[in-house]
Amino acid sequence: MAEEKKKVKAPKLADPVASSIDVASQEMIARSHELGVETIFDRALTMKPCAIGVQGTCCKNCSMGPCRLPLPKAGIEGEDTRKGLCGATANTIAARNFIRMIAGGAAAHSDHGRGVAEVFLAVAKKETDVYKIKDEEKLLAVAGHLGVATTVEVDGEELDRDIDEIALETAEVALNEWGKPEGELLYAKRAPKARYELWKKQGVIPRNIDREIVEIMHRTHMGVDQDYKNLIKQGTRAAIADGWGGSMLATDLQDILFGTPYPVQSEANLGVMKEDHVNLVIHGHEPILSEMIVAVAQKQEMIDYAKKKGAAGIQLSGICCTANEMLQRHGIPLCGTFLQQELAIITGACDAMVVDIQCIMQNIANVAACFHTKVITTHRIAQIEQDNVIHIEFDEHHAVEDAERIVKMAIDNFANRKAEVMIPQHKAPIVAGFGVESTEYHLGGSFRGTYYTLNDNIINGRIRGVAGVVGCNNARTKHNHDHITVVKELIKNDVLVLTTGCNAIACAMEGLLTPEAAAVHCGAGLAEVCETVGIPPVLHLGSCVDNSRILLAATEVVKAGGLGNDISEWPVAGSAPEWMSEKAISIGHYFVVSGVYTVVGVTFPTSGAPVFNNYICKEFEDIYGGMWDFEPDPVKHAHMMIAHIDKKRKELGIDKARERVMMDFASRQAL
Ligand code: BF8
């Protein structure tokens, strides 16, 4: 009998055009197929997600399970009798899983913050002189928020306190926020007074940052907390400890050490890589590493060394939030979003990809093995098992030496390029680097030096409201499609967008971060404001820990007056159209409990437990003034946010567009 040849199935390959709206990414996905290099876009076709996991009703917190409680196709009529072996209900399981996601996200942001606080302490103790205090004004402001005295009384006279003393005490008090034995999170009082009091009444003010995360792990252990309302209360404490604690401290201390961002020009997308330059791509989150690499790569001796090795210079660029950090303080171009990390290597021009922590896909090692690219891990807690990955542990005490070694390694690798270089010729100009301070400068009134002009334009209806649109890419959706659709729909309807993380990079690639974008994409009111003050309709506020800037900007709006007494009262909404990480859930939850109506796309991780789902997606509004919502269709998603904004305008009595009136001092005071 003739032996039948076994048919080998060809691997499924992603359709480039169906995978991304970005032409540069489409070209690189097609290129990966030509070269036989597998990427996340291909794997998303072959590996389907578990439907029960997506619904949040799979419990694997003990070895009697996993207990899987799928939602019946016909839904649940009458009593929900589903339970795990121990009797845990769908609500308990979904709430446990949800707050474990908050714990994961809060831990990631806050441990990042702790790393920065430790470097800040080393600087304050003068153990290192490579990092310095760049923004003394911000140090004094932060000292004030942490209760550190900035003046001292000498012979009845109030004198400025020594700046080194202030720095040391500020560093110590800041670090204490992670594990102090008693008291409450000091930054909780930075929220509007009404919000702080609401948290106090609800009993959700965090005690310290670490404790709330640890307590989630305890409560969700087999047989501990089995009341979804009590479980989510703990999730709320941990989320506040992230947004108003670990993340906010990370942002503040980074600004003190590396400088508070002010608007800068740059470019975005894979086309920022240069064929004749050494391309060093930095990926991850903590700017401690990237700050030093930026400094070293700009040294003349390094540029000369690169030239000696045949390159025209050194081109730095960034992926993920490290990209945002380097952009906002140094104007270093953005190479791409989370889903473009493999694609940057597939250009054949990436001489080194240097990574620190978070959002680093292990597959970059496999992709790099097909090229000459050196993948260099630098953080003690984030290493990769593949043999081709080099680990150079970065330490602030010998930061310059470490950075020099890394930059030299990239330069030495320039001559080893083997595949034909193909850099997509697509990039967009951008203006980034907005923050609480610069927004005050651009949109604040010279009259009061606050957010008054912003409030005034919200009240008169030129700006309908403000949206924070943030978060990841998700390989289960078309790359950047939902980000861009949501943002364009919002600005078309006069909603000013504040952005961070990968949404910010997506908007950058799409050309939405330029003042010129206002005339093309905005409604008449928003376009007029943007053109008058010269800002883009989408303001880039930084990395994901910098979502704390959105919280503080929202608080400044409340303080400026005329739009209620709390964040929940003014027309603001949040969104993460392509979320995927636990960090996004922690961010979403601190937005919600800070009073922001927040919509996510893709999937919702408690959909399999309707009662719990209804609690956080509906009943929460009565408790916190903010709630979760879910809509995968990006146009409907944006309109749900706009409907919320309109509801708030109506509640404030500003729902009818008013013409701008000249206001005298007395009328402003009345507001
Ligand atoms: O922290 S947006 S994919 S890069 S998790 Fe990661 Fe998500 Fe991007 Fe920044 Ni944030």
Side-chain angles (χ1 to χ4, degrees):
M1 221 162 68
E3 210 176 273
E4 245 184 71
K5 266 195 185 169
K6 266 196 181 165
K7 279 188 185 162
V8 182
K9 261 194 174 173
K12 276 194 191 166
L13 297 178
D15 171 356
V17 177
S19 301
S20 176
I21 61 163
D22 167 46
V23 180
S25 300
Q26 291 170 1
E27 287 176 10
M28 281 300 99
I29 296 167
R31 178 71 172 154
S32 75
H33 297 158
E34 276 168 31
L35 299 174
V37 180
E38 184 204 75
T39 68
I40 189 169
F41 297 98
D42 305 318
R43 291 190 295 281
L45 287 185
T46 47
M47 179 180 281
K48 294 292 167 208
C50 161
I52 308 162
V54 166
Q55 293 175 7
T57 46
C58 171
C59 182
K60 52 185 183 62
N61 294 9
C62 85
S63 72
M64 297 189 289
C67 292
R68 306 183 313 152
L69 275 57
L71 196 61
K73 275 218 172 82
I76 292 179
E77 271 192 34
E79 203 190 336
D80 185 353
T81 53
R82 295 173 295 158
K83 15 176 142 49
L85 253 64
C86 68
T89 62
N91 293 328
T92 298
I93 292 172
R96 279 179 183 159
N97 288 336
F98 191 74
I99 71 169
R100 278 198 173 200
M101 292 182 89
I102 294 177
H109 288 141
S110 300
D111 216 29
H112 162 172
R114 185 204 319 271
V116 181
E118 284 170 347
V119 171
F120 179 45
L121 182 64
V123 172
K125 283 183 171 172
K126 310 236 179 262
E127 288 173 6
T128 170
D129 59 359
V130 283
Y131 299 98
K132 296 211 167 20
I133 289 166
K134 263 205 187 146
D135 190 339
E136 284 190 5
E137 209 178 305
K138 186 112 190 192
L139 168 61
L140 295 177
V142 168
H145 294 304
L146 292 172
V148 174
T150 53
T151 55
V152 59
E153 209 180 290
V154 179
D155 300 332
E157 208 186 330
E158 186 109 323
L159 300 177
D160 285 344
R161 199 176 164 201
D162 177 65
I163 197 80
D164 289 343
E165 259 181 52
I166 296 172
L168 184 57
E169 197 180 326
T170 303
E172 286 167 350
V173 175
L175 257 178
N176 209 28
E177 288 299 279
W178 272 265
K180 61 189 180 189
E182 51 192 28
E184 60 181 36
L185 188 78
L186 294 170
Y187 271 12
K189 286 209 168 122
R190 293 185 75 178
K193 196 163 177 281
R195 182 65 23 186
Y196 173 82
E197 277 160 10
L198 173 66
W199 289 339
K200 194 100 188 154
K201 191 174 136 217
Q202 291 297 325
V204 293
I205 305 251
R207 292 154 289 188
N208 68 53
I209 298 163
D210 287 350
R211 180 169 181 175
E212 306 309 353
I213 296 164
V214 170
E215 194 169 306
I216 285 183
M217 298 314 286
H218 182 185
R219 284 190 192 216
T220 56
H221 183 275
M222 196 271 145
V224 185
D225 204 347
Q226 292 157 123
D227 172 355
Y228 67 89
K229 290 185 182 172
N230 207 37
L231 280 160
I232 194 63
K233 204 167 218 184
Q234 184 52 28
T236 298
R237 284 188 197 98
I240 297 171
D242 175 358
W244 296 86
S247 283
M248 200 170 276
L249 281 162
T251 298
D252 277 349
L253 302 181
Q254 285 170 182
D255 284 356
I256 293 172
L257 285 177
F258 311 131
T260 301
Y262 279 89
V264 284
Q265 286 187 320
S266 190
E267 296 178 317
N269 211 343
L270 294 163
V272 303
M273 295 173 81
K274 292 181 177 162
E275 182 164 1
D276 59 354
H277 279 55
V278 172
N279 286 292
L280 180 45
V281 180
I282 314 185
H283 174 16
H285 284 76
E286 277 184 5
I288 297 165
L289 163 81
S290 53
E291 278 289 319
M292 207 39 62
I293 292 189
V294 171
V296 166
Q298 288 172 349
K299 280 188 184 172
Q300 193 55 47
E301 60 189 87
M302 278 296 163
I303 296 166
D304 291 344
Y305 185 63
K307 287 185 176 162
K308 208 171 104 193
K309 295 284 175 170
I314 303 168
Q315 176 70 353
L316 281 182
S317 62
I319 299 267
C320 283
C321 284
T322 285
N324 292 323
E325 298 284 4
M326 294 194 299
L327 166 70
Q328 65 182 344
R329 297 197 178 87
H330 303 285
I332 303 292
L334 303 168
C335 189
T337 65
F338 169 73
L339 277 183
Q340 289 172 286
Q341 54 190 288
E342 293 166 312
L343 307 183
I345 299 174
I346 291 167
T347 59
C350 177
D351 301 301
M353 182 170 280
V354 185
V355 304
D356 53 49
I357 48 165
Q358 300 169 24
C359 301
I360 297 139
M361 297 201 283
Q362 187 163 357
N363 200 56
I364 58 170
N366 300 328
V367 175
C370 305
F371 297 85
H372 76 301
T373 306
K374 295 224 184 290
V375 174
I376 305 169
T377 54
T378 57
H379 205 291
R380 164 182 72 78
I381 69 161
Q383 303 189 29
I384 298 180
E385 71 180 68
Q386 279 95 324
D387 289 341
N388 62 323
V389 176
I390 301 154
H391 185 67
I392 298 177
E393 201 149 306
F394 192 79
D395 183 314
E396 67 268 19
H397 296 92
H398 40 80
V400 176
E401 294 79 357
D402 293 340
E404 281 176 354
R405 221 177 124 200
I406 290 166
V407 175
K408 273 199 173 146
M409 197 171 271
I411 295 172
D412 289 336
N413 203 27
F414 177 75
N416 297 331
R417 291 184 186 175
K418 42 189 183 190
E420 190 194 332
V421 168
M422 192 181 136
I423 299 172
Q425 296 303 303
H426 306 284
K427 59 182 177 180
I430 59 177
V431 179
F434 291 89
V436 178
E437 295 82 354
S438 59
T439 306
E440 183 173 323
Y441 171 74
H442 282 279
L443 281 171
S446 50
F447 172 67
R448 282 189 174 182
T450 70
Y451 276 50
Y452 186 79
T453 308
L454 173 61
N455 288 27
D456 194 18
N457 277 301
I458 294 172
I459 293 165
N460 70 31
R462 283 193 178 83
I463 296 177
R464 190 169 185 166
V466 176
V469 190
V470 307
C472 326
N473 283 145
N474 186 317
R476 301 295 179 193
T477 64
K478 189 175 187 173
H479 173 230
N480 286 358
H481 173 266
D482 296 355
H483 278 314
I484 298 307
T485 310
V486 168
V487 170
K488 281 190 176 166
E489 199 61 28
L490 290 169
I491 58 177
K492 188 171 96 186
N493 286 283
D494 294 318
V495 177
L496 176 71
V497 171
L498 309 181
T499 178
T500 61
C502 286
N503 179 276
I505 304 176
C507 291
M509 289 159 56
E510 188 68 13
L512 300 178
L513 301 191
T514 60
E516 295 73 29
V520 184
H521 299 286
C522 295
L526 180 60
E528 189 189 333
V529 175
C530 291
E531 280 161 19
T532 308
V533 288
I535 54 162
V538 182
L539 300 179
H540 186 322
L541 266 74
S543 66
C544 285
V545 294
D546 294 331
N547 281 312
S548 59
R549 298 192 202 276
I550 298 183
L551 296 177
L552 291 175
T555 304
E556 288 303 318
V557 168
V558 173
K559 279 196 213 155
L563 290 171
N565 292 318
D566 196 354
I567 296 171
S568 57
E569 291 179 37
W570 69 276
V572 61
S575 159
E578 300 182 24
W579 79 279
M580 64 86 198
S581 77
E582 292 169 324
K583 290 185 284 176
I585 293 298
S586 184
I587 293 166
H589 201 67
Y590 70 64
F591 267 41
V592 165
V593 299
S594 297
V596 182
Y597 169 73
T598 302
V599 193
V600 294
V602 198
T603 53
F604 197 77
T606 64
S607 59
V611 174
F612 175 57
N613 197 71
N614 187 60
Y615 185 58
I616 57 173
C617 294
K618 201 158 180 231
E619 293 171 42
F620 243 48
E621 193 168 32
D622 292 335
I623 308 170
Y624 292 105
M627 64 182 202
W628 285 93
D629 214 337
F630 166 62
E631 177 50 63
D633 177 306
V635 175
K636 284 190 198 154
H637 182 120
H639 281 280
M640 283 157 65
M641 298 167 74
I642 294 166
H644 175 82
I645 282 169
D646 287 349
K647 181 175 100 177
K648 291 293 157 185
R649 295 189 66 84
K650 196 163 185 196
E651 283 171 12
L652 286 167
I654 54 167
D655 49 326
K656 311 262 178 326
R658 293 189 212 154
E659 244 334 287
R660 201 186 177 108
V661 282
M662 288 305 290
M663 300 190 86
D664 59 14
F665 186 69
S667 347
R668 279 171 191 258
Q669 265 191 330
L671 266 175

